[in-house]
């Protein structure tokens, strides 16, 4: 006879937090959102890899590329570059993130002396760079001949046919640094000479890197940045349980900080074998997450297999139709609560704390607060990030409103058979477990995340908590009825707007 769970499967929208005492010292500016990303022994060590913001972007082609990774790392979160692409392309994305702010940046906007002002304008519009080195052959590592910045030309007074050689700042007037210059020394040169950028050249005067003042300023204005020991942005990447023996080495070589098995269901021998292969070849130097699971048995299986963190959630994503297609899944709130209990029990038994990630089921900002209060260490979001400028999907006009394309990895568009692989020789997506859709365009990631995080911090203060562990300890949760859900929104009034305010869902 089948096993029946006594309690119903519940979603985040069926719960509310009950406020606790808020001391005068508990204000949003004092709240820390730092949270562990990978397993560790709290009694013996600090977590080797933590998030400064408890938000990571989903392993989806419509969400997580190198542009999203840079933007999210700037805000203290982490992106997992999508794995539904060639090994070479995924590794290249990871490398671009690691190179983006190593302090020393390889120039991707280069000119030659015989190019024109029209080429400068086109390059600036396409890449967004206002500083462009002039090199032999317009090569990123060619011999440095000069540099062009916005101060070197005026579109209103110059012809677009004007040659770069006629208005560039020539090499002899440039301050440069040798290839062995440290980042600190380079920044000192920038400040001492009041420069916006500093070319770094080798012994043959060929351009190696550019160092920018704005990168130094950016770090000062973004104290939560996720940076590695070399001051480079941190980035994750998705893998599957088929080609991991080839994909993982390429990602590690590119500099990936953490990997995660991307699968619709993680309670399988395929994931165990993948984790075991990583441990055999890399020991604990490569951090690997696994999932997804929805109960204590699934968590225990992956924790025992050696997963560094475990993802929770089956069928709760806004573009996921696994539940209606296969009848498999569980309400995200119920799954998070049960797996959190299993995580705490595992920690009590072994002394090893394995972080858990709630993946899916989050519609409104306050659902993030609920997921963390229920025990999640961080959340993985797809629809939330797909709405922003930094996501890789196209912005389109639909019925007079700007939208962003958003599709599931189980959709016919993605055809990510590896994510839904159940073994065997067949390599095809036999039926869909995701949809192709649109989400309302919402602007920049930073502007939206600032609001979301302020809401989260304010909620934590309402519960008298200054840290996520304290929030989980002090949180009081109550089930709500369908009637009280209606009461929780605008009701019994005539709204001036066409639609009621519903967090960031619009």
């Amino acid at each position: 006879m089948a096993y029946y769970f006594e309690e119903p499967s519940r979603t985040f929208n069926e719960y509310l937090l009950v406020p606790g005492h808020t001391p005068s010292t508990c204000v949003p500016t004092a709240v820390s959102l730092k949270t562990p990303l990978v397993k560790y022994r709290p009694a013996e060590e600090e977590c080797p890899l933590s998030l400064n913001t408890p938000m990571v972007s989903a392993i989806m082609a419509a969400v997580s590329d190198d542009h999203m990774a840079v933007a999210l790392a700037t805000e203290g979160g982490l992106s997992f570059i999508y794995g539904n692409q060639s090994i070479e392309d995924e590794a290249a994305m990871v490398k671009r993130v690691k190179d983006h702010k190593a302090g020393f940046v390889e120039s991707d906007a280069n000119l030659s002396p015989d190019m024109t002002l029209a080429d400068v304008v086109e390059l600036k519009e396409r890449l967004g760079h206002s500083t462009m080195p002039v090199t032999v052959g317009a090569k990123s590592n060619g011999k440095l001949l000069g540099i062009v910045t916005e101060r070197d030309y005026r579109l209103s007074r110059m012809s677009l046919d004007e040659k770069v050689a006629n208005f560039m700042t020539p090499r002899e007037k440039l301050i440069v640094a040798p290839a062995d210059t440290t980042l600190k020394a380079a920044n000192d040169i920038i400040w001492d000479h009041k420069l916006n950028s500093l070319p770094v050249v080798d012994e043959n005067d060929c351009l190696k890197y550019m160092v920018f003042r704005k990168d130094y300023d950016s770090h000062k204005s973004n104290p939560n940045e996720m940076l590695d020991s070399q001051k480079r942005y941190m980035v994750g990447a998705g893998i599957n349980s088929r080609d991991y023996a080839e994909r993982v080495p390429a990602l590690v070589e590119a500099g990936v900080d953490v990997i995660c098995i991307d699968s619709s269901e993680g309670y399988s021998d395929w994931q165990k074998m993948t984790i075991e292969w990583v441990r055999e070849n890399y020991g604990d130097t490569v951090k690997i997450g696994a999932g997804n699971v929805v109960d204590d048995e699934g968590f225990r299986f992956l924790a025992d297999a050696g997963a560094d963190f475990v993802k929770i959630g089956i069928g709760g994503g806004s573009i996921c139709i696994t539940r209606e297609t296969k009848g498999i899944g569980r309400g995200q709130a119920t799954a998070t609560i049960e797996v959190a209990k299993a995580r705490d029990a595992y920690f009590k038994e072994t002394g090893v704390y394995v972080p858990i990630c709630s993946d899916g089921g989050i519609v409104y900002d306050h659902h993030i607060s609920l997921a963390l209060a229920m025990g999640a260490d961080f959340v993985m979001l797809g629809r939330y990030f797909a709405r922003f400028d930094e996501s890789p999907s196209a912005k389109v006009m639909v019925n007079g409103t700007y939208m962003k394309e958003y599709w599931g990895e189980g959709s016919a568009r993605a055809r990510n058979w590896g994510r839904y692989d159940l073994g065997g020789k067949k390599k095809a997506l036999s039926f869909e477990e995701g949809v192709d859709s649109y989400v309302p365009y919402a602007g920049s990631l930073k502007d939206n995340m600032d609001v979301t995080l302020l809401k989260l911090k304010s909620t934590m203060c309402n519960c008298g908590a200054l840290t996520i562990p304290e929030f989980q300890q002090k949180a009081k949760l109550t089930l709500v009825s369908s009637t009280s859900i209606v009461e929780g929104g605008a009701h019994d009034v005539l709204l001036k707007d066409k639609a009621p305010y519903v967090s960031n869902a619009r």
Side-chain angles (χ1 to χ4, degrees):
M1 180 178 175
Y3 176 82
Y4 290 87
F5 289 90
E6 294 182 1
E7 290 295 319
S9 177
R10 300 189 182 279
T11 67
F12 291 129
N13 228 34
E14 295 178 76
Y15 286 90
L16 283 175
L17 282 157
V18 176
H21 172 247
T22 303
S24 60
T25 55
C26 196
V27 293
T29 53
V31 172
S32 169
L33 296 178
K34 190 169 184 177
T35 190
L37 176 64
V38 298
K39 68 181 180 183
Y40 69 113
R41 292 181 176 272
E44 302 174 9
E45 60 183 349
E46 290 189 3
C47 184
L49 183 55
S50 296
L51 296 167
N52 294 324
T53 298
M55 299 167 69
V56 300
S57 64
I59 310 170
M60 302 174 68
V63 179
S64 298
D65 66 353
D66 49 312
H67 299 291
M68 176 61 70
V70 169
L72 187 48
T74 301
E75 302 305 315
L78 190 83
S79 280
F80 284 88
I81 302 292
Y82 69 95
N84 189 21
Q85 58 180 321
S86 71
I87 294 173
E88 294 75 18
D89 287 346
E90 186 179 14
M93 280 192 180
V94 169
K95 189 174 188 305
R96 285 199 293 272
V97 177
K98 303 306 290 186
D99 288 344
H100 182 86
K101 192 183 176 187
F104 298 95
V105 181
E106 286 194 21
S107 177
D108 61 352
N110 304 288
L111 303 166
S112 64
D114 59 345
M115 294 174 75
T116 66
L117 180 57
D119 295 316
V120 174
V121 173
E122 188 277 329
L123 201 59
K124 181 181 178 183
E125 290 179 349
R126 179 159 54 89
L127 299 177
H129 302 317
S130 59
T131 298
M132 304 176 195
V134 182
T135 61
V136 173
K139 296 180 179 179
S140 60
N141 297 122
K143 185 178 180 63
L144 183 64
L145 302 176
I147 200 164
V148 171
T149 71
E150 290 178 310
R151 293 178 296 182
D152 293 312
Y153 60 88
R154 293 187 67 178
L155 294 177
S156 61
R157 297 189 177 185
M158 295 172 60
S159 168
L160 290 177
D161 295 328
E162 187 79 20
K163 295 290 186 182
V164 166
N166 295 333
F167 61 87
M168 71 180 186
T169 301
R171 167 67 181 87
E172 57 268 20
K173 292 185 178 181
L174 295 178
I175 295 172
V176 302
D180 59 355
T181 304
T182 65
L183 182 58
K184 183 180 184 305
N187 281 320
D188 287 342
I189 294 172
I190 287 174
W191 282 96
D192 290 343
H193 294 275
K194 299 180 180 180
L195 305 173
N196 288 322
S197 63
L198 177 70
V200 177
V201 298
D202 64 14
E203 64 276 7
N204 298 315
D205 213 32
C206 290
L207 181 66
K208 296 291 291 181
Y209 306 103
M210 296 292 293
V211 180
F212 295 95
R213 174 191 290 262
K214 66 179 178 62
D215 285 345
Y216 179 86
D217 293 338
S218 173
H219 177 57
K220 292 299 182 182
S221 60
N222 295 291
N224 288 325
E225 283 180 319
M226 286 288 291
L227 303 176
D228 64 17
S229 59
Q230 300 178 52
K231 304 299 183 184
R232 302 178 300 177
Y233 281 127
M234 300 185 74
V235 61
I239 64 170
N240 61 59
S241 55
R242 281 279 190 170
D243 65 5
Y244 53 83
E246 295 78 36
R247 190 172 293 267
V248 172
L251 295 173
V252 171
E253 176 67 23
V256 75
D257 296 284
V258 57
I259 57 177
C260 183
I261 306 171
D262 182 29
S263 174
S264 62
E265 204 279 301
Y267 192 179
S268 74
D269 283 346
W270 310 114
Q271 294 222 358
K272 181 180 179 182
M273 288 187 287
T274 304
I275 296 169
E276 289 175 345
W277 184 90
V278 170
R279 293 290 175 249
E280 289 170 3
N281 288 272
Y282 294 97
D284 290 327
T285 61
V286 170
K287 305 301 181 183
I288 178 171
N292 288 13
V293 299
V294 293
D295 63 5
D296 55 351
E297 290 182 6
F299 170 83
R300 174 71 67 154
F301 177 82
L302 292 177
D304 286 342
D308 284 293
F309 67 86
V310 174
K311 288 204 292 139
I312 311 161
I314 295 176
S318 59
I319 41 67
C320 184
I321 55 172
T322 294
R323 296 180 191 176
E324 61 184 82
T325 302
K326 295 167 61 177
I328 292 287
R330 200 176 193 188
Q332 192 67 13
T334 300
T336 301
I337 292 168
E338 182 168 323
V339 174
K341 290 179 180 177
R343 184 267 321 276
D344 293 343
Y346 189 84
F347 170 55
K348 187 175 181 180
E349 294 172 22
T350 65
V352 177
Y353 187 89
V354 181
I356 55 176
C357 168
S358 181
D359 175 20
I362 291 174
V363 181
Y364 307 121
D365 284 345
H366 76 270
H367 289 172
I368 298 175
S369 302
L370 289 168
L372 296 174
M374 290 172 180
D377 295 283
F378 55 99
V379 297
M380 178 172 277
L381 305 161
R383 182 199 61 85
Y384 179 91
F385 289 116
R387 304 170 302 134
F388 302 148
D389 290 319
E390 293 81 2
S391 73
S393 63
K395 184 172 75 170
V396 296
M397 181 75 76
V398 179
N399 296 326
T401 303
Y402 278 115
M403 311 287 283
K404 291 276 283 187
E405 292 182 320
Y406 180 44
W407 60 94
E409 289 300 296
S411 67
R413 177 172 181 169
R415 303 206 66 80
N416 187 1
W417 67 270
R419 189 177 198 277
Y420 299 87
D421 180 34
L422 291 176
K425 296 181 179 180
K426 188 176 181 180
K427 297 183 179 181
L429 195 64
S430 301
F431 53 87
E432 292 182 71
E433 291 189 48
V435 299
D436 196 347
S437 64
Y438 299 106
V439 290
Y441 168 67
S444 75
L445 177 144
K446 178 175 177 55
D447 290 345
N448 284 272
M449 274 192 70
D450 283 348
V451 175
T452 297
L453 296 178
L454 182 58
K455 291 178 185 177
L456 172 57
K457 291 179 178 181
S458 180
T459 300
M460 291 171 62
C461 288
N462 290 149
C463 296
L466 289 173
T467 66
I468 291 175
E470 187 180 14
F471 184 38
Q472 293 166 346
Q473 181 183 11
K474 292 184 175 180
K476 296 181 291 184
L477 292 148
T478 181
L479 280 168
V480 295
S481 67
S482 57
T483 304
S484 63
I485 291 176
V486 174
E487 180 187 60
H491 62 91
D492 300 314
V493 294
L494 181 63
L495 295 174
K496 294 181 180 180
D497 294 330
K498 292 181 180 180
Y501 175 72
V502 285
S503 187
N504 62 8
R506 288 196 295 177

